[in-house]
Amino acid sequence: MRNAMKPSTAIALRGLVPGVMASGVVAITAVFLNEHYGAPAMLFALLLGLSFKFLSDEGPCGPGIMFSSTNILRIGVALLGFRITTDQVISLGPAALLAIVLAVTLIIFLGLGLARLLKMDWRLGLLTAGSVGICGAAAAMTISALLPKNEDTTRWTLFTIVGVTALSTVAMIGYPILAVSLGLDQQKTGFFLGATIHDVAQVMGAGYAVSDSAGDVAALTKMMRVAMLVPVAFVITIALSGASGGIGKLHKSLPWFVALFAVFAVLNNLVPIPAAVTGWLSSASRWCLIIGIAAMGMRTSFKEVLAIGPRAIAMLCIETVVLAALILGLIGLRLV
């Protein structure tokens, strides 16, 4: 049986090569432009990726682009754990954690309320709010798996994934400019970006476009938000199906890259790792993120977003604006 599986595995891996290579070429080009013109490599990767959208629509590159925008990207996020130190965690403080819990809770209730106000299904409200409040597409897919299914569930999930990706792309470009214009320091900028941008990839792109220190804080803040997927999934599971069987579904909700991120962060603080090794891991993480963002750009279509009903788009936009205003308000009040 093992020998029979090897050829199919090899064929599947070969099928990924064209798309991974295409994403890698875009990433290399982005780094070249970054080194020669100074603009952020991740922003170049995203913009270049958008111009090669056709590669993910047809031809042999589709599977590899999908792989790059998911698995390679998540490997890059996991490796960021080696950049996180205990001092950084302590510097965020309990107020930051409480702010994130408050923000996620309020956005979810806002989504349910907006769905009712706009006469839309509560499942769509929960999907959009969970994606905005927690971690974008990953939250949408997780919450979708927990919801009662009907003929619209798949369409709503697709809309949410495309919508939060598009809004995250806009936020990745606009939020750093907003943070600078408001005079936020590096730590507050990182917290704002990590606490407001939906998808992990765009958080990294925005954070490290500002500076390495802002990027590290943004990454840690985002991981704290992603971890909120576990209690949210637990509550949804219990609310929909009762206490029985809830834990069985819950253990599947934590993304593997978040678990690895935590493990690597612990290792970085408990085990003496040579500086050369951490430098190599940091470089590997950066390249994985740039490749992943390039691939995500290749998969993004703004036409698909515009084709969705205006009420659903309005709901996503309102949730996004309210989340940003809430976090800025907390920062302005010096509560975080």
Side-chain angles (χ1 to χ4, degrees), residues 25-238:
V25 169
V26 172
I28 291 170
T29 305
V31 172
F32 175 84
L33 292 172
N34 163 254
E35 292 175 350
H36 286 78
Y37 297 100
M42 293 188 187
L43 179 58
F44 273 133
L46 176 63
L47 296 177
L48 289 171
L50 287 170
S51 66
F52 287 96
K53 171 70 169 64
F54 66 93
L55 290 178
S56 65
D57 293 333
E58 56 185 25
C61 293
I65 291 173
M66 174 69 76
F67 179 83
S68 299
S69 67
T70 54
N71 292 295
I72 291 180
L73 174 66
R74 290 166 183 171
I75 290 170
V77 173
L79 290 174
L80 283 173
F82 286 106
R83 300 188 61 145
I84 304 303
T85 66
T86 304
D87 290 340
Q88 289 173 322
V89 176
I90 294 174
S91 68
L92 282 180
L97 177 58
L98 290 175
I100 290 170
V101 172
L102 174 64
V104 170
T105 302
L106 289 179
I107 292 301
I108 289 177
F109 279 108
L110 174 65
L112 293 172
L114 285 173
R116 184 172 183 178
L117 180 65
L118 297 172
K119 295 182 170 51
M120 307 189 74
D121 195 286
W122 65 269
R123 282 172 280 236
L124 179 58
L126 183 58
L127 276 169
T128 58
S131 299
V132 169
I134 304 172
C135 55
M141 290 183 286
T142 300
I143 294 172
S144 177
L146 299 173
L147 292 177
K149 297 294 183 291
N150 63 22
E151 64 275 8
D152 291 319
T153 303
T154 300
R155 183 167 60 90
W156 291 335
T157 304
L158 177 61
F159 158 74
T160 302
I161 291 172
V162 173
V164 295
T165 300
L167 288 172
S168 288
T169 301
V170 174
M172 173 184 168
I173 298 170
Y175 282 8
I177 298 173
L178 176 61
V180 171
S181 67
L182 292 174
L184 301 182
D185 61 28
Q186 296 297 299
Q187 176 149 333
K188 289 180 179 178
T189 295
F191 179 78
F192 169 63
L193 298 176
T196 55
I197 299 177
H198 312 325
D199 281 314
V200 174
Q202 283 88 339
V203 169
M204 306 308 170
Y208 289 107
V210 175
S211 69
D212 284 349
S213 61
D216 289 345
V217 174
L220 180 58
T221 304
K222 184 60 179 177
M223 289 303 103
M224 293 169 68
R225 279 175 72 197
V226 173
M228 285 293 295
L229 188 58
V230 176
V232 169
F234 179 82
V235 171
I236 292 172
T237 301
I238 297 302

